[in-house]
């Protein structure tokens, strides 16, 4: 204890009491009620056994006229500081005085703003006592007593609730890129295989090529010359075909105004080349209103046709439903056959094609369409409306080449000039031996009208008319089909980018 500091006694709490509550107090000299302030020891301190609710028996009156509480008319108000209680100790009803009762629902969880408002209202009520008549002074004092008594309870309860409530803050998790780090610090993006792996100990794949593989084997797998030139070209072509396509299913119809030029054959070769190199699904639809032979070119049949898909298109819920209708090749090319009955196939119209195309677009990335020779047929109109890329097949004869060129002219004149500029003309060699026309002149002609021209050589495996097995084709034929597939994919990607 410091020098000059008075000794501290028990903690006391000021409390206002009405005069009539003290039986030993003489009658006041004034005409109105008086307020008297008494010192009440804190409830945590030791009190005498005669104390009632923490109020000392001996009271000393204090004149409150000059301290700004009440001017003139005074009253005694009991003010008791609350005892800190736990949340679980709250009763539903809290009795504050003999004359006042406030339900716990009103003060059980007040916030700090509500408690402050109660205190302000209580002080204002006490200050308004001087403005009331003498007969109402006691009633106003009672209301002020209730307000002043409940305000500390609400304030203490809010403080206790705030102390017990856990303080948590939401943590926002976010990734940080290289530019977000401080100078000299690296992110995990820099831990790449090229940086961490030692090239001297990296295992290279076996070389692709006869001579390269022989050297690799004889050297005990120590000398790796890498792939041959042909193997590198083949893998580069695979990457071109397998390039991703964005923006939904792509429709590629194959057209020809003359039968017998190999339109169905080109559709089959293109579909096999695409399905063999790509990871997504490819389907070819035989939309020939006449008797189509697309399903016969893969040697497998599901026994279902486009007519079955038209009937069941509203009930198709998943890929399993459509897989029961399509036939699949060993390259994973799916085919929907046309009706074998010409009378039934003739009834296949534009609305039927739209129903088939809607289902195919939902499950496939590339949809090839083997069309008929009738360019003004309703199915052809529906096919061209969905087309993203055109394939026009021409034979190596004068009339076949002329019909192919006239087809391009008709398309340009009927609103498909944009498709013609990016179209691909396939010069199919359907007969053995030397061609009767100069293929170089045909190629020069079509290059002035379309985007690309591809020549497919003669292949006895195709000319036999039996089912086509892609791996059994001549290397030149497979290479031409794969080049056609790569051109189609690149053209589709360019249209999406544009």
């Amino acid at each position: 204890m410091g020098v000059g500091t008075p000794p501290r006694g028990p903690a006391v709490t000021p409390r206002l009491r009405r005069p009539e509550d003290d039986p030993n107090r003489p009658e006041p000299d004034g005409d109105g009620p008086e307020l008297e302030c008494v010192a009440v020891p804190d409830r945590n301190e030791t009190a005498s056994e005669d104390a009632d609710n923490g109020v000392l028996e001996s009271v000393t009156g204090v004149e409150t006229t000059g301290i700004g509480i009440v001017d003139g008319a005074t009253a005694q108000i009991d003010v008791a500081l609350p005892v800190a209680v736990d949340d679980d100790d709250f009763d539903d009803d809290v009795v504050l005085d003999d004359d006042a009762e406030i339900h716990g629902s009103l003060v059980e969880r007040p916030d700090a703003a509500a408690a402050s408002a109660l205190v302000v209202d209580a002080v204002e009520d006490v200050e308004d006592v001087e403005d009331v008549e003498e007969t109402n002074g006691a009633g106003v004092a009672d209301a002020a007593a209730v307000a002043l008594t409940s305000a500390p309870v609400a304030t203490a309860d809010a403080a206790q609730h705030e102390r017990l409530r856990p303080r948590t803050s939401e943590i926002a998790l976010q990734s940080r890129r290289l530019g977000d780090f401080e100078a000299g610090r690296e992110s995990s993006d820099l831990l790449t295989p090229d940086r961490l792996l030692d090239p001297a100990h990296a295992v290279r794949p076996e070389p692709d090529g006869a001579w390269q593989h022989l050297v690799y084997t004889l050297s005990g797998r120590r000398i790796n010359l890498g792939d041959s030139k042909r193997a590198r070209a083949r893998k580069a072509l695979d990457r071109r075909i397998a390039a991703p396509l964005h923006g939904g299913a792509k429709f590629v119809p194959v057209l020809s105004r003359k039968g017998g030029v190999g339109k169905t054959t080109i559709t089959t070769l293109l579909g096999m080349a695409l399905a063999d190199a790509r990871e997504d699904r490819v389907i070819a639809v035989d939309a020939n209103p006449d008797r189509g032979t697309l399903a016969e070119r893969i040697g497998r049949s599901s026994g279902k046709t486009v007519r079955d898909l038209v009937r069941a298109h509203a009930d198709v819920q998943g890929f399993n439903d459509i897989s029961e209708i399509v036939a699949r090749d060993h390259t994973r090319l799916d085919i929907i056959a046309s009706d074998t009955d010409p009378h039934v196939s003739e009834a296949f119209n534009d609305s039927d094609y739209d129903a088939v195309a809607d289902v195919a677009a939902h499950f496939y990335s590339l949809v090839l369409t083997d069309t008929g020779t009738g360019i003004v047929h309703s199915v052809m109109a529906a096919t061209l409306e969905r087309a993203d890329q055109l394939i026009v097949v021409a034979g190596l004869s004068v009339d076949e080449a002329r019909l192919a060129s006239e087809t391009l002219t008709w398309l340009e004149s009927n609103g498909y000039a944009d498709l013609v500029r990016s179209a691909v003309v396939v010069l199919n060699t359907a007969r053995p031996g030397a061609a009767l026309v100069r293929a170089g002149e045909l190629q020069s002609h079509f290059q002035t009208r379309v985007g690309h021209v591809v020549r497919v050589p003669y292949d006895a495996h195709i000319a036999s008319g039996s089912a086509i097995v892609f791996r059994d084709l001549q290397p030149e034929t497979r290479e031409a089909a794969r080049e056609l597939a790569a051109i189609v994919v690149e053209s589709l990607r360019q249209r999406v980018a544009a």
Side-chain angles (χ1 to χ4, degrees):
M1 181 180 300
V3 180
T5 304
R8 300 180 58 182
V12 296
T13 302
R15 181 169 181 174
L16 298 180
R17 163 176 286 179
R18 288 183 293 180
E20 56 269 25
D21 295 337
D22 188 1
N24 300 324
R25 189 180 185 282
E27 292 296 329
D29 296 336
D31 295 334
E34 293 183 357
L35 289 177
E36 185 177 63
C37 182
V38 297
V40 181
D42 190 85
R43 294 188 180 183
N44 294 329
E45 299 293 334
T46 304
S48 63
E49 296 180 356
D50 297 333
D52 182 14
N53 196 21
V55 182
L56 297 179
E57 292 182 352
S58 59
V59 231
T60 303
V62 177
E63 179 63 35
T64 60
T65 303
I67 62 176
I69 299 180
V70 178
D71 189 8
T74 61
Q76 179 176 333
I77 302 175
D78 291 342
V79 179
L81 293 180
V83 179
V85 296
D86 193 71
D87 287 349
D88 296 332
D89 295 333
F90 271 113
D91 294 330
D92 291 339
D93 295 326
V94 179
V95 179
L96 302 177
D97 246 329
D98 294 334
D99 300 329
E101 176 177 317
I102 299 179
H103 290 287
S105 59
L106 298 179
V107 297
E108 184 174 324
R109 289 293 184 270
D111 53 11
S116 301
L118 288 174
V119 176
V120 173
D121 293 339
V123 174
E124 290 177 355
D125 291 339
V126 173
E127 292 176 352
D128 291 340
V129 170
E130 61 180 355
D131 297 331
V132 300
E133 297 179 356
E134 179 179 356
T135 56
N136 297 331
V140 174
D142 292 341
V146 173
L148 286 176
T149 308
S150 60
V153 175
T155 306
D157 182 45
Q160 180 73 4
H161 180 68
E162 182 69 19
R163 182 180 65 83
L164 296 178
R165 186 180 62 186
R167 298 180 180 271
T168 59
S169 58
E170 296 184 359
I171 301 176
L173 302 179
Q174 59 182 356
S175 61
R176 301 182 65 182
R177 310 301 294 177
L178 179 60
D180 299 333
F181 282 85
E182 301 175 1
R185 297 181 62 189
E186 295 183 353
S187 68
S188 59
D189 298 340
L190 298 181
L191 299 179
T192 60
D194 295 336
R195 176 185 178 184
L196 299 180
L197 297 180
D198 188 357
H201 298 87
V203 179
R204 298 176 59 188
E206 293 188 7
D208 192 348
W211 170 251
Q212 287 80 2
H213 194 273
L214 177 62
V215 174
Y216 180 74
T217 303
L218 295 178
S219 63
R221 300 177 180 269
R222 291 190 297 270
I223 301 177
N224 192 334
L225 300 177
D227 296 334
S228 64
K229 183 178 180 180
R230 179 177 298 177
R232 292 195 298 270
R234 185 184 72 252
K235 292 180 180 180
L237 190 57
D238 286 338
R239 289 191 293 271
R240 292 171 58 194
I241 301 173
L245 294 172
H246 305 286
K250 308 301 179 183
F251 288 82
V252 183
V254 182
L255 311 177
S256 176
R257 292 183 61 187
K258 182 175 175 52
V261 297
K263 175 174 52 62
T264 301
T265 298
I266 298 302
T267 304
T268 305
L269 293 179
L270 176 60
M272 290 181 174
L274 289 169
D276 186 58
R278 297 185 61 84
E279 296 295 333
D280 49 10
R281 299 188 184 118
V282 183
I283 188 172
V285 180
D286 194 343
N288 194 339
D290 301 325
R291 171 70 163 83
T293 60
L294 181 62
E296 298 175 3
R297 304 302 275 172
I298 68 170
R300 299 180 182 181
S301 176
S302 64
K304 304 294 182 63
T305 65
V306 290
R307 181 60 54 191
D308 296 294
L309 184 56
V310 170
R311 297 191 189 100
H313 78 280
D315 299 327
V316 174
Q317 302 295 329
F319 185 72
N320 289 337
D321 297 329
I322 193 174
S323 62
E324 298 177 355
I325 300 176
V326 301
R328 172 162 292 189
D329 178 65
H330 67 277
T331 61
R332 298 185 308 108
L333 171 66
D334 290 348
I335 288 180
I336 299 181
S338 65
D339 289 303
T340 57
D341 188 350
H343 295 286
V344 177
S345 62
E346 184 63 28
F348 189 76
N349 53 29
D350 53 349
S351 60
D352 295 335
Y353 177 80
D354 287 334
V356 174
D358 289 340
V359 176
H362 188 74
F363 297 101
Y364 294 88
S365 299
L366 281 164
V367 182
L368 309 181
T369 305
D370 184 12
T371 64
T373 56
I375 200 171
V376 294
H377 196 278
S378 62
V379 177
M380 181 67 71
T383 302
L384 293 176
E385 288 297 325
R386 293 176 177 264
D388 297 293
Q389 178 72 33
L390 291 180
I391 307 294
V392 179
V393 181
L396 297 183
S397 65
V398 176
D399 59 339
E400 293 171 350
R402 185 175 294 168
L403 282 175
S405 184
E406 290 176 357
T407 301
L408 297 176
T409 303
W410 185 90
L411 292 171
E412 291 172 342
S413 303
N414 288 271
Y416 304 103
D418 184 49
L419 288 174
V420 170
R421 283 191 293 269
S422 61
V424 182
V425 171
V426 179
L427 300 178
N428 183 39
T429 306
R431 303 179 183 86
L436 299 179
V437 298
R438 289 181 288 184
E441 291 296 327
L442 285 178
Q443 186 169 351
S444 299
H445 167 75
F446 287 113
Q447 283 178 344
T448 62
R449 308 198 60 181
V450 297
H452 302 275
V453 179
V454 178
R455 296 178 61 180
V456 177
Y458 172 81
D459 195 309
H461 182 65
I462 298 175
S464 63
S466 60
I468 298 175
V469 180
F470 193 67
R471 62 175 177 267
D472 292 342
L473 296 173
Q474 296 294 328
E476 296 81 4
T477 307
R478 287 200 307 270
E479 190 71 13
R482 286 162 51 81
E483 182 65 28
L484 174 61
I487 291 174
V488 168
V489 172
E490 290 173 348
S491 299
L492 291 173
R493 287 170 56 86
Q494 290 175 2
R495 289 181 65 87
V496 172

